[in-house]
Amino acid sequence: MMEENEEQSDAQQSDLSLKGNEHSFRLHMVTWNVATADPPDDVSLLLQLNSPKSPDLYVIGLQEVYSGPLRFVSDTVFDDPWSQILMTTLAPREYIKVSSIRMQGLLLLFFSKLEHVPFIRDIQATYTRTGIFGYWGNKGGVSIRLSFYGHMLCFLNCHLAAHMKYATERVDEFEYIMDTQTFDCKKAPRIIDHKLVFWFGDLNFRIQDHGMHFVRSCINNQTYSLLWSKDQLTMMKSKEQLLQEFKEGPLDFQPTYKFDLNSNTYDSRVYRTWFGFNGKKRKPAWTDRILWRLRPKAPPPDEPDYSSVGPDVKKVEHVEEDEEYPLKIRQESYTSNMEYSISDHKPVTSVFTLDLKKMYETPLVRLQAEGDWSADIDAMVLYSPLQPFPSSTWDWIGLYKVGFTSVLDYITYTWVKDDEVAFNEEIMQVYVSKEEIPVRGGECVLCYFSSTLQCIIGISEPFKVHESKVASEEGLEPEKINGLDKAVANEDFWN
């Protein structure tokens, strides 16, 4: 890890001068083992909402989200409490949840600024169990992969085997997850095929050899570097080729495990063993980590490539793509958040800047609201394809209030034309019944959802839905005017 720091510094210097056709995007990442606790009332510090630079993307990986039988059943129908607070906190700032996946206690969420959503495609999510006999989902990995302006990214949130003596098993579990997770994508069918991979979570690597007193002394004196050489993940990187391809910033923050609940005090409890003797306190460790892997450049033709796999054709395609559409990454920060104490782990956050050349800059569909909108008259939506895409009669256009939380948070929707969308200059139109338009009005947007691509591929400019004149003149309650759900018609919905 220390050797990589000099390389990273050089790379950062060379990346500072961007070409005119390259764009910078800010990515805020969080990993936190929440130890079955419910979320705090305020997650502003966790998301750095007061930062002068707002992220373009948020990726949040949690471990040990409470999954008792009753809660887990309800979470399959409704969003879990952690997803709810993150969505309601970020939605007013115009972030929407683009994708999420949960495997028992493992939860991964991907949020994006609304402006980028039509350029996030090929979204897929999957999971791998590595818990008891490979069937129980208490350990393993969940991942979300996607194309961001044409660049293939993958985010892997893991919770690996616990306890000091299982360092090798942790590496085996990671390699098993990397080998077995596959995606329905010719360009990047496996995690390792993606241009940029983030690996993070409660990886459970410990600090070995050093005694408790020495470790705590280093923490108190903030001489963390004295502990780095005995960090198991750093030690395992010297043995494993795959681990060497993953970079990590310096661990210049205090170990994030294990704390007494509701405190910043390291483990002080007395443990009872099977035979009644006192067990040892847990030694502090950097169990919670965030690493990344930028796909290695292909070697010159006369040098064999032992690390890469797959047909030579794919390698050539990757080389040409990387040269024409470069992607660079630099880590802006990497730290723990000591402000939160609901868990025996502290959350770890990292902010990255992605410098890339966009492979496309126009959405697949342009759409707009035509004329004045209110619940007094049927409304019209105009849309036209800007590029070819696999259209379907199951495509639909949703009406959303500004500040919506996810693709499912629509007010109403309408199907597109029954015949397939053709790639031409024709402007098509669909109608939205006045019965489905909110009578109290508000600021709204329209989103075109592709059922084949399973993502939003076009968003309108915000527009005003006017309050119903009929409703105000006759003094009728909103729910008596149309069939809209009371929750949508309620005044609080728009406030």
Side-chain angles (χ1 to χ4, degrees):
M1 179 175 64
M2 299 305 104
E3 297 172 355
E4 294 167 355
N5 293 340
E6 294 182 6
E7 299 175 9
Q8 183 181 351
S9 177
D10 295 340
Q12 288 177 358
Q13 293 298 321
S14 63
D15 291 353
L16 291 177
S17 54
L18 293 180
K19 298 179 181 178
N21 59 359
E22 289 186 347
H23 303 263
S24 292
F25 300 92
R26 197 170 178 86
L27 165 64
H28 182 104
M29 296 190 65
V30 177
T31 179
W32 192 3
N33 182 322
V34 298
T36 72
D38 282 335
D41 295 331
D42 188 350
V43 292
S44 299
L45 289 173
L46 187 70
L47 303 176
Q48 297 179 6
L49 295 182
N50 296 323
S51 172
K53 295 182 180 180
S54 61
D56 297 278
L57 306 171
Y58 277 101
V59 176
I60 300 160
L62 305 178
Q63 306 86 40
E64 290 194 27
V65 175
Y66 180 66
S67 55
L70 292 178
R71 172 69 67 81
F72 194 68
V73 169
S74 67
D75 289 350
T76 59
V77 180
F78 308 101
D79 286 308
D80 64 274
W82 283 94
S83 296
Q84 287 177 358
I85 191 170
L86 292 166
M87 291 164 68
T88 54
T89 300
L90 290 172
R93 297 170 180 263
E94 296 195 0
Y95 294 92
I96 76 163
K97 187 186 77 173
V98 174
S99 182
S100 66
I101 182 170
R102 181 171 180 185
M103 181 187 75
Q104 203 158 314
L106 272 170
L107 176 64
L108 178 58
L109 303 120
F110 181 95
F111 293 86
S112 170
K113 273 279 192 184
L114 191 60
E115 63 192 87
H116 304 307
V117 170
F119 306 98
I120 300 173
R121 303 170 190 168
D122 306 314
I123 305 164
Q124 294 180 48
T126 189
Y127 63 88
T128 301
R129 295 186 178 98
T130 60
I132 303 170
F133 305 115
Y135 294 105
W136 192 245
N138 62 323
K139 295 290 194 296
V142 293
S143 63
I144 294 173
R145 55 90 57 209
L146 50 87
S147 165
F148 183 68
Y149 289 97
H151 296 265
M152 295 293 184
L153 313 181
C154 186
F155 302 88
L156 173 61
N157 172 27
C158 288
H159 191 187
L160 304 180
H163 303 303
M164 176 72 73
K165 62 183 179 180
Y166 291 124
T168 302
E169 283 78 3
R170 288 187 269 278
V171 175
D172 290 343
E173 287 181 350
F174 168 62
E175 292 181 343
Y176 173 76
I177 292 169
M178 291 285 287
D179 287 341
T180 56
Q181 286 199 0
T182 59
F183 306 96
D184 184 17
C185 175
K186 293 181 180 179
K187 199 172 182 181
R190 298 167 308 159
I191 294 176
I192 204 167
D193 298 320
H194 290 74
K195 183 176 285 189
L196 179 59
V197 177
F198 290 92
W199 172 38
F200 52 102
D202 180 1
L203 307 185
N204 255 321
F205 289 101
R206 309 303 172 97
I207 298 171
Q208 67 181 48
D209 298 334
H210 291 314
M212 177 77 78
H213 177 76
F214 181 77
V215 171
R216 292 200 174 188
S217 176
C218 290
I219 293 171
N220 292 334
N221 297 327
Q222 297 186 9
T223 52
Y224 307 126
S225 60
L226 298 179
L227 303 174
W228 290 346
S229 64
K230 296 301 181 181
D231 168 70
Q232 287 181 336
L233 179 53
T234 303
M235 296 170 71
M236 296 301 292
K237 288 184 81 171
S238 64
K239 306 175 183 177
E240 301 291 337
Q241 171 67 33
L242 180 59
L243 294 182
Q244 292 169 15
E245 296 179 4
F246 281 84
K247 294 183 179 295
E248 184 181 25
L251 298 169
D252 279 332
F253 52 90
Q254 66 185 89
T256 52
Y257 175 85
K258 170 181 171 76
F259 290 87
D260 292 340
L261 294 182
N262 303 310
S263 79
N264 287 334
T265 302
Y266 282 104
D267 189 18
S268 64
R269 295 186 302 168
V270 175
Y271 293 86
R272 293 287 180 180
T273 66
W274 285 102
F275 301 103
F277 298 105
N278 291 340
K280 292 183 179 180
K281 299 179 179 67
R282 298 292 192 271
K283 190 163 59 174
W286 286 290
T287 58
D288 310 283
R289 314 286 278 267
I290 299 174
L291 300 92
W292 72 94
R293 175 190 183 269
L294 196 60
R295 190 171 59 210
K297 293 183 179 179
D302 57 338
E303 292 184 17
D305 181 6
Y306 298 110
S307 62
S308 61
V309 290
D312 292 336
V313 175
K314 184 185 292 185
K315 295 177 192 173
V316 172
E317 289 175 350
H318 283 167
V319 172
E320 293 175 351
E321 178 190 283
D322 291 347
E323 291 178 352
E324 185 175 359
Y325 299 101
L327 185 153
K328 304 169 187 174
I329 179 173
R330 62 181 181 272
Q331 189 177 47
E332 308 290 357
S333 66
Y334 187 32
T335 189
S336 58
N337 293 70
M338 299 299 294
E339 301 86 356
Y340 295 96
S341 57
I342 59 174
S343 167
D344 55 356
H345 291 251
K346 299 296 182 182
V348 170
T349 60
S350 184
V351 175
F352 297 90
T353 295
L354 305 183
D355 299 324
L356 58 86
K357 181 181 177 183
K358 298 177 181 178
M359 296 188 189
Y360 41 75
E361 299 200 43
T362 56
L364 296 177
V365 171
R366 177 190 292 123
L367 69 163
Q368 67 183 68
E370 180 70 6
D372 291 334
W373 279 54
S374 78
D376 298 330
I377 188 172
D378 292 344
M380 184 190 299
V381 180
L382 301 180
Y383 68 94
S384 56
L386 302 180
Q387 300 177 48
F389 68 93
S391 61
S392 164
T393 54
W394 293 103
D395 291 358
W396 50 273
I397 295 172
L399 175 67
Y400 297 82
K401 72 180 181 73
V402 171
F404 67 102
T405 60
S406 71
V407 68
L408 297 178
D409 190 20
Y410 52 78
I411 298 169
T412 186
Y413 64 90
T414 183
W415 300 106
V416 300
K417 289 181 65 173
D418 289 337
D419 54 331
E420 287 196 354
V421 176
F423 179 54
N424 53 38
E425 297 302 319
E426 182 183 0
I427 297 177
M428 286 156 277
Q429 60 188 38
V430 291
Y431 289 90
V432 177
S433 169
K434 62 183 180 182
E435 303 295 326
E436 302 297 326
I437 299 174
V439 297
R440 292 194 183 276
E443 290 292 319
C444 294
V445 293
L446 295 163
C447 297
Y448 188 111
F449 185 84
S450 165
S451 63
T452 303
L453 299 177
Q454 285 293 296
C455 61
I456 292 172
I457 60 175
I459 301 176
S460 74
E461 292 293 325
F463 63 97
K464 176 77 172 178
V465 174
H466 301 284
E467 186 175 359
S468 167
K469 292 180 180 179
V470 173
S472 58
E473 289 173 359
E474 299 186 8
L476 297 179
E477 293 297 321
E479 55 268 27
K480 295 178 181 178
I481 278 264
N482 59 26
L484 200 61
D485 186 274
K486 289 183 181 181
V488 176
N490 189 289
E491 186 175 6
D492 291 339
F493 181 81
W494 299 104
N495 292 337

